[in-house]
Amino acid sequence: MPRLVGQRSHNRANITVLILLVAIVGILLEYFGAIDIVPGFGREGRYFQLPGQPSNEQGAGQIN
């Protein structure tokens, strides 16, 4: 539907909402451990286990 004559488009509002959504998704991915940009931020264990990484159940392979 074409824009009405004299009406402004809401591009700034749409871009602001898009940036906020991208930031929220990025923070959630960092918190749950899918990405690791900020060391030490997020949950203690990873929510998404990356292939090739030992999980807590597997241990580090060291004998006490």
Side-chain angles (χ1 to χ4, degrees):
M1 181 172 173
R3 199 171 57 150
L4 297 174
V5 176
Q7 298 292 323
R8 293 180 151 222
S9 63
H10 301 290
N11 286 341
R12 262 190 228 166
N14 292 341
I15 291 172
T16 303
V17 169
L18 179 66
I19 290 171
L20 284 173
L21 287 174
V22 168
I24 289 169
V25 168
I27 290 170
L28 286 173
L29 287 174
E30 175 72 25
Y31 178 76
F32 286 115
I35 58 176
D36 190 21
I37 296 173
V38 181
F41 177 77
R43 294 173 47 138
E44 195 63 32
R46 286 186 164 279
Y47 185 75
F48 303 104
Q49 188 64 33
L50 298 177
Q53 284 189 330
S55 65
N56 291 340
E57 294 90 27
Q58 294 172 344
Q62 296 176 347
I63 300 172
N64 291 336

